[in-house]
Amino acid sequence: MTVKINENYLLLQNSYLFAEIARRVDEYQKENPEKEIIRMGIGDVTKPLVPSVVKAFTSAVQEMSDSATFKGYGPEQGYSFLAEKIIENDFKPLGVDISLDEVFISDGAKCDTANIQEIFDLDNTVAVTDPVYTVYVDTNVMAGRTGAMNDKDMYEGLVYLPCTAENGFIPELPKENVDLIYLCLPNNPTGTTLTKEELKSFVDYAKENKSIILFDAAYEKFINETDVPHSIYEIEGAKEVAIEFRSFSKTAGFTGTRCAYTIVPKELKGYDSKGNSQSLNELWNRRQTTKFNGVSYPVQVAAAATYSKEGKKEIQEYIDYYMENAKIIRTKLREIGLSVYGGVNSPYIWVKLPEGIDSWSFFDILLKEANVVGTPGAGFGPSGEGYLRLTAFNTLDNTKKAMERISKLNFN
Ligand code: MLT
């Protein structure tokens, strides 16, 4: 007897982008233990949980130690005390009505954006922006929704919407009829955004073509400019065509604590093979209740505390701190003649590399000569070649130190 594997996995690149970067950095550090490496690769935060979150978290753990207040399994969709705060704080002020049973609390936007494709047929055509958060692509490859990677580093069957300096990082609408469109705004990796008008054209496209937009808004709290939508549901009619993903990871330092949520509107319909419309909200609920047992009670209490008056203030201070880092990175790199994008409504800075250097070579130069880790643009897709992503999530000291080291490099 032989056990057959899911051969779609063989179509994937050898390792997940951030695992490959970690491997290269570890290898270099082992060979050069005396070097002090500054990590600006993966978008992981450096600031701890804020005091009001820690207080709520701790008291919820205490509740778990007393049989009178102990909690076992919670609702798979999350506790309503958190869902209510989400609706009240993240959507009501935008004039967006979300009901409790449209909110699905989870342990991460990565998992949700990865898992959502399960409720859609394998024959659907998928469009991604290029460069792209690789999870959207890899999970569709794993599911068998694509062919092999071609010599242009694109998976057959996937529709790529290039976003480069040439088009101002505004993806063109798909020329063909696509079923699922992944949009991440503010964008990971480019740090750029779309205006309401630009996003509206995607919503209009989705309505016309009966497509669904999978809208990843994990970086929403970093938006500073006024014409940038915080939620896709700010666009009229978007509840009929979009699922939105949000996260506490980058906003409130929950990368290790794990909490996020996904909005699946009840208006949202998919179609079965007989042409009957089906509720995507019901399908996702069925998926989650079967495969997921909810986020732990203390974590949800901690997430709810991010919406307290004190919590909001403390979190905003951290976001401002990271955005100050972003400003330093943008300013310093411009001073040395590099073109940089993003970093205004996002913690990511997308750096255009000098002509003739490919992004993995630049990654190596940066690691070995400046001891700074970035993420090579090519790792996010073919249109990322020629760019490098830096994050603003390090400490202020390290950010300044990294910029000094980079300024001393000679790229020629
Ligand atoms: C990134 O660096 O792109 C993110 O940290 C990845 C993630 O959020 O999973």
Side-chain angles (χ1 to χ4, degrees):
M1 292 287 268
T2 52
V3 175
K4 297 224 169 69
I5 58 152
N6 175 354
E7 281 202 18
N8 299 317
Y9 277 64
L10 303 181
L11 302 176
L12 293 165
Q13 300 289 85
N14 277 344
S15 51
Y16 179 57
L17 173 62
F18 293 106
E20 174 60 19
I21 290 171
R23 189 191 66 73
R24 291 188 188 213
V25 174
D26 286 351
E27 191 177 280
Y28 177 76
Q29 183 81 85
K30 273 204 195 92
E31 285 162 12
N32 303 275
E34 74 294 353
K35 300 283 188 199
E36 183 222 350
I37 297 174
I38 300 176
R39 292 163 201 264
M40 300 169 91
I42 191 163
D44 198 2
V45 293
T46 50
K47 288 265 182 209
L49 297 176
V50 298
S52 49
V53 165
V54 173
K55 197 163 152 230
F57 207 170
T58 312
S59 81
V61 171
Q62 285 302 326
E63 282 184 64
M64 296 297 272
S65 72
D66 181 342
S67 54
T69 46
F70 168 78
K71 294 200 165 40
Y73 292 127
E76 294 92 345
Q77 305 83 352
Y79 285 102
S80 55
F81 67 78
L82 177 54
E84 277 160 12
K85 290 215 156 36
I86 288 169
I87 293 170
E88 210 46 46
N89 291 280
D90 289 347
F91 295 99
K92 274 253 170 76
L94 304 175
V96 174
D97 266 339
I98 299 289
S99 61
L100 275 179
D101 51 1
E102 293 176 317
V103 183
F104 294 86
I105 293 155
S106 77
D107 59 349
K110 176 179 180 175
C111 326
D112 285 356
T113 55
N115 293 329
I116 196 74
Q117 47 78 29
E118 279 182 27
I119 64 169
F120 298 103
D121 189 82
L122 287 183
D123 281 344
N124 285 310
T125 317
V126 176
V128 293
T129 54
D130 174 27
V132 66
Y133 178 43
T134 52
V135 169
Y136 317 150
V137 172
D138 286 3
T139 52
N140 277 289
V141 174
M142 289 169 174
R145 218 169 263 113
T146 71
M149 187 176 262
N150 66 22
D151 56 3
K152 295 196 182 81
D153 289 344
M154 292 176 169
Y155 283 101
E156 296 292 348
L158 214 55
V159 175
Y160 290 78
L161 310 173
C163 294
T164 59
E166 285 69 42
N167 64 9
F169 301 95
I170 302 166
E172 264 185 43
L173 291 170
K175 291 191 183 47
E176 53 282 83
N177 186 328
V178 301
D179 303 305
L180 299 171
I181 307 168
Y182 288 84
L183 290 179
C184 175
L185 293 164
N187 187 254
N188 179 11
T190 66
T192 58
T193 50
L194 296 186
T195 63
K196 281 201 180 120
E197 215 33 53
E198 286 155 359
L199 183 57
K200 183 177 179 299
S201 68
F202 275 89
V203 171
D204 291 345
Y205 171 94
K207 280 191 197 159
E208 251 171 65
N209 293 277
K210 286 197 157 60
S211 324
I212 303 283
I213 298 174
L214 303 167
F215 190 77
D216 185 350
Y219 300 94
E220 171 273 331
K221 288 282 183 294
F222 294 86
I223 294 173
N224 276 310
E225 290 178 321
T226 49
D227 195 29
V228 179
H230 287 251
S231 164
I232 193 165
Y233 306 126
E234 286 178 66
I235 315 291
E236 218 191 306
K239 278 189 87 183
E240 291 152 39
V241 292
I243 293 175
E244 181 163 310
F245 306 88
R246 296 267 191 115
S247 171
F248 295 93
S249 282
K250 321 290 158 123
T251 308
F254 273 53
T255 48
T257 307
R258 312 305 306 149
C259 199
Y261 67 86
T262 290
I263 305 293
V264 189
K266 283 187 288 197
E267 291 90 327
L268 210 52
K269 302 285 181 219
Y271 294 85
D272 63 24
S273 53
K274 298 192 182 77
N276 300 317
S277 72
Q278 303 286 348
S279 158
L280 296 183
N281 177 286
E282 282 173 24
L283 294 188
W284 185 244
N285 190 47
R286 188 69 177 82
R287 192 260 172 217
Q288 289 298 80
T289 48
T290 305
K291 295 196 176 185
F292 186 56
N293 264 335
V295 177
S296 83
Y297 172 71
V299 168
Q300 293 191 63
V301 171
T306 66
Y307 295 108
S308 65
K309 193 162 164 247
E310 205 46 36
K312 280 184 187 168
K313 191 171 148 271
E314 292 165 350
I315 283 166
Q316 190 56 48
E317 278 167 18
Y318 280 11
I319 290 175
D320 293 345
Y321 175 93
Y322 292 135
M323 292 313 284
E324 183 57 29
N325 288 347
K327 195 168 154 195
I328 291 169
I329 299 171
R330 287 172 36 232
T331 312
K332 278 284 167 199
L333 295 184
R334 282 197 179 134
E335 267 172 30
I336 61 168
L338 293 170
S339 297
V340 295
Y341 306 93
V344 175
N345 298 297
S346 149
Y348 294 128
I349 295 91
W350 192 237
V351 187
K352 178 98 184 82
L353 303 180
E355 279 307 311
I357 307 185
D358 72 82
S359 63
W360 278 104
S361 305
F362 194 83
F363 167 87
D364 280 334
I365 296 174
L366 215 56
L367 175 62
K368 293 176 186 163
E369 292 177 26
N371 301 144
V372 173
V373 183
T375 308
F380 296 104
S383 295
E385 187 48 279
Y387 294 87
L388 181 110
R389 193 192 75 175
L390 290 175
T391 89
F393 285 126
N394 216 305
T395 62
L396 175 63
D397 273 359
N398 275 347
T399 303
K400 286 183 177 162
K401 216 187 275 177
M403 290 309 109
E404 265 163 43
R405 292 186 194 168
I406 294 174
S407 328
K408 291 195 186 113
L409 289 180
N410 182 1
F411 302 121
N412 304 313

